[in-house]
Amino acid sequence: MNLFDPATYAGLRRPLREAETLPTECYTSEEFYKREVETIFKKVWNCVGREDFVKNPGDYFTRNLVGISLIIMRGKDMKIRAFVNACRHRGTKLLEGKGQCRDVVCPYHGWAYHSDGTLRSFNAMDQALNLDPKDYGLVEVKLDSWLGFVFVNFDPNCMPLKQFIGRLGEHTESYNWEDMVTVRHRETVINTNWKSYVENSMEPIHLPLVHKKSIGHVFASGKAGWKFTHGNPGEFTIMHTLTDKSRALLPGDEGFDRLPNLTGTAADGAQYIHVNPCTTIGADLDCMWFKHMVPEGPHKVRNIAAFCFPKSALERPDFDRLIQNYYKRFDLVIDEDNWVAEAQFEGIQNPMTRVGRFSHWEQNVHWFDNWIIDCVLGQGESKRLAAVA
Ligand code: FES
Ligand SMILES: [Fe+2]
């Protein structure tokens, strides 16, 4: 099978009700994955976290995106920047995990960088000729923010983040996410392809079976009110479910107050928003959570999840007690999804497996898979520009 021949995707390209799923090789092939890295992850905006992960000058966290280790750091000037996590002397990796430092000091020979990435000092270079420290600061990668979310882009000629986000803001403006605080992180590594894991977050039909011990009831209760939207323009999909109760709690559990001043689709339910390529935001009536489903090769995905609540919830005397109800629900659901993701991937890797079909509930999965193929076949940019025009 030629994975780079448009004819391979004739089944996928059909309208949803007649369309076939992606060939299983798209989930298992190293070659296909390499093409995704070049045409997707190195071209589009990648969400890497929240601005409040780095509250103070010198705060940093590192992120490995498709083999490129990055430092996301807040400078003394309060600006957040992204740097390639490698020393300009002989390339040593500078930082691990997250933390706080005044300057970034290389553990090998001690070259040191200011929090804005400029070179502060170097060792044993007193006889070097034509060496201007200005030329040897940390390599910077484009970074921008939207509603408190931090995005990076490796392509110096990329479209502005605002254009990438498109009309998504119309669905999210009343949440006041900039005012929310990240209260917890959770990372898990799952043996599956990143696209399968993303697709799982775009459809509700797995809820009754996979989540029968947690949120399985949600599918039936929201049945009259599930709506699916995708960006036009904008690199996102939304799965919206009608509800007047938080979906971030298990039935009967007590939680925090509803967010004030919600309007539009935000006011009448929960929205599961996917931002290409691999971030899903759970936008609920009382809180927000998100997960980055970052590939580590074609067969492994790192789910980096975080949970955010309004400041008013953190100020409550019963915060520590009530937050446990949310953690219980989040952990249960993540574990249930992880279990089925690995079972699915075992089937996908079976060489006798053949393509399948989409349910009409999977229209966002169909949109996402078509977007992947647009990018991999080099048709993504022109379609994006056409949508904006
Ligand atoms: S490699 Fe960093 S100081 Fe030498
Ligand atoms: Fe799920």
Side-chain angles (χ1 to χ4, degrees):
M1 175 181 292
N2 180 352
L3 289 173
F4 307 113
D5 177 357
T8 301
Y9 304 102
L12 174 78
R13 295 305 201 184
R14 289 188 207 122
L16 173 69
R17 285 165 179 73
E18 330 169 39
E20 286 179 337
T21 55
L22 280 177
T24 52
E25 288 83 350
C26 295
Y27 299 89
T28 57
S29 149
E30 292 280 350
E31 213 193 341
F32 191 84
Y33 174 70
K34 277 190 197 138
R35 189 73 79 91
E36 288 176 334
V37 168
E38 295 307 318
T39 61
I40 298 175
F41 292 94
K42 289 193 183 165
K43 288 286 174 205
V44 307
W45 287 94
N46 294 275
C47 187
V48 290
R50 297 277 300 164
E51 287 178 331
D52 80 340
F53 290 9
V54 285
K55 283 195 204 76
N56 303 306
D59 283 355
Y60 68 86
F61 65 94
T62 59
R63 193 62 94 221
N64 192 324
L65 259 185
V66 292
I68 304 169
S69 179
L70 293 174
I71 302 168
I72 318 295
M73 184 174 234
R74 194 181 284 273
K76 265 207 299 222
D77 56 1
M78 293 308 280
K79 195 172 160 197
I80 304 175
R81 298 177 180 83
F83 304 113
V84 173
N85 191 3
C87 181
R88 293 299 307 280
H89 177 216
R90 275 168 43 212
T92 305
K93 189 175 183 184
L94 295 163
L95 294 171
E96 293 281 356
K98 57 184 177 177
Q100 220 274 339
C101 59
R102 209 176 68 113
D103 299 311
V104 180
V105 180
C106 178
Y108 200 173
H109 315 96
W111 280 35
Y113 306 86
H114 296 288
S115 60
D116 64 359
T118 52
L119 185 63
R120 194 198 75 193
S121 62
F122 35 54
N123 270 336
M125 301 300 291
D126 39 310
Q127 297 205 4
L129 302 175
N130 303 319
L131 173 59
D132 185 344
K134 281 206 289 299
D135 296 334
Y136 294 93
L138 297 176
V139 176
E140 199 168 338
V141 172
K142 260 182 189 256
L143 180 148
D144 203 352
S145 298
W146 173 77
L147 304 184
F149 285 99
V150 177
F151 290 75
V152 297
N153 198 313
F154 296 115
D155 180 1
N157 303 315
C158 63
M159 67 167 77
L161 176 61
K162 205 166 175 275
Q163 187 179 342
F164 183 76
I165 292 293
R167 297 176 64 177
L168 179 52
E170 293 172 16
H171 303 272
T172 57
E173 58 205 5
S174 66
Y175 287 119
N176 201 15
W177 284 339
E178 294 99 317
D179 192 47
M180 286 197 180
V181 181
T182 308
V183 298
R184 187 180 181 227
H185 300 257
R186 185 180 166 188
E187 266 187 54
T188 40
V189 177
I190 307 104
N191 295 314
T192 187
N193 180 269
W194 71 280
K195 296 187 294 301
S196 302
Y197 205 69
V198 165
E199 291 162 359
N200 171 275
S201 65
M202 296 179 149
E203 50 87 353
I205 51 176
H206 72 279
L207 300 181
L209 280 175
V210 174
H211 300 300
K212 56 177 171 288
K213 293 196 188 126
S214 56
I215 53 168
H217 64 286
V218 162
F219 180 57
S221 65
K223 215 165 185 170
W226 290 92
K227 266 197 319 245
F228 299 89
T229 317
H230 56 75
N232 190 19
E235 306 274 340
F236 67 89
T237 66
I238 301 177
M239 177 166 70
H240 177 274
T241 158
L242 279 181
T243 179
D244 56 2
K245 292 195 183 63
S246 171
R247 298 282 198 216
L249 289 164
L250 297 174
D253 274 354
E254 199 187 340
F256 302 120
D257 296 335
R258 184 188 164 96
L259 301 170
N261 311 320
L262 293 179
T263 58
T265 48
D268 60 11
Q271 309 192 87
Y272 302 97
I273 298 165
H274 171 78
V275 183
N276 284 337
C278 63
T279 297
T280 289
I281 304 168
D284 219 313
L285 296 166
D286 52 352
C287 66
M288 180 266 284
W289 52 263
F290 62 94
K291 51 184 178 179
H292 305 307
M293 297 160 273
V294 185
E296 296 189 351
H299 303 166
K300 211 184 257 190
V301 61
R302 183 175 293 271
N303 175 7
I304 304 168
F307 310 95
C308 307
F309 287 81
K311 286 190 187 113
S312 58
L314 275 79
E315 284 157 7
R316 287 172 60 136
D318 54 0
F319 175 79
D320 289 339
R321 179 174 66 84
L322 293 184
I323 195 74
Q324 299 307 324
N325 291 337
Y326 292 87
Y327 293 166
K328 181 173 64 178
R329 182 273 193 210
F330 293 142
D331 286 340
L332 254 178
V333 172
I334 291 174
D335 292 344
E336 289 165 342
D337 279 325
N338 289 354
W339 169 82
V340 82
E342 296 199 339
Q344 179 194 20
F345 198 55
E346 279 191 45
I348 283 176
Q349 285 176 302
N350 183 327
M352 300 292 282
T353 303
R354 295 289 171 262
V355 291
R357 294 286 298 263
F358 291 106
S359 155
H360 67 283
W361 294 96
E362 293 168 310
Q363 59 175 278
N364 285 354
V365 181
H366 183 237
W367 181 88
F368 174 69
D369 290 350
N370 272 283
W371 179 81
I372 295 285
I373 298 306
D374 289 347
C375 295
V376 164
L377 297 184
Q379 301 160 351
E381 190 68 14
S382 52
K383 285 204 179 171
R384 236 170 265 155
L385 293 174
V388 174

